[in-house]
């Protein structure tokens, strides 16, 4: 399920995130100045997104064991990617030999 929200509903969360990041990055910055900068950045962001709806796609669930089984059956990388609707990187991440090597060295 995708989350659909108006940009102006996220302003407070965005301002808090900006404030926190500014405080982390600039150690000598007084709290009130950090909040002022964060507020200005949030307003700029809101102007850019004014009236737009922000959509977040939900992450597709990955069947790691199914991907590993496809590899064990001898499917090619293209077939594994198509069968599970995943990227090549995800297919290689769940390759059974990778898990075996990790267990051996770990």
């Amino acid at each position: 399920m995708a989350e659909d929200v108006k940009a102006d509903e996220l302003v407070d969360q965005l301002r808090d995130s900006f404030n926190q990041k500014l405080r982390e990055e600039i150690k000598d910055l007084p709290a009130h100045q950090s909040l002022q900068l964060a507020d200005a950045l949030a307003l700029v962001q809101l102007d850019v997104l004014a009236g737009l709806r922000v959509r977040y796609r939900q992450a597709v669930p990955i069947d790691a064991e199914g991907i590993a089984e496809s590899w064990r059956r001898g499917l090619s990388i293209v077939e594994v990617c198509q069968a599970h609707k995943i990227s090549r990187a995800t297919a290689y991440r769940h390759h059974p030999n990778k898990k075996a090597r990790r267990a051996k060295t770990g």
Side-chain angles (χ1 to χ4, degrees), residues 16-102:
D16 293 341
S17 296
F18 281 145
N19 186 30
Q20 180 183 359
K21 192 64 176 173
L22 285 167
R23 296 292 307 266
E24 289 172 6
E25 295 297 322
I26 307 171
K27 302 291 185 201
D28 298 335
L29 188 64
H32 69 280
Q33 287 182 345
S34 172
L35 193 54
Q36 289 173 342
L37 285 171
D39 195 36
L41 289 171
L43 289 176
V44 168
Q45 189 73 22
L46 186 59
D47 286 343
V48 170
L49 297 175
L52 297 179
R53 295 193 77 78
V54 181
R55 292 181 82 49
Y56 299 94
R57 291 186 313 168
Q58 183 178 7
V60 178
I62 303 293
D63 178 18
E65 190 53 42
I67 296 168
E69 184 58 34
S70 295
W71 280 113
R72 287 187 203 103
R73 287 194 330 234
L75 271 61
S76 70
I77 181 67
V78 174
E79 293 169 327
V80 171
C81 291
Q82 288 174 348
H84 297 282
K85 295 182 176 87
I86 56 174
S87 67
R88 293 172 80 91
T90 302
Y92 284 123
R93 189 177 310 121
H94 297 289
H95 194 283
N97 288 346
K98 184 172 183 175
K99 292 178 185 173
R101 272 183 289 173
R102 196 178 305 146

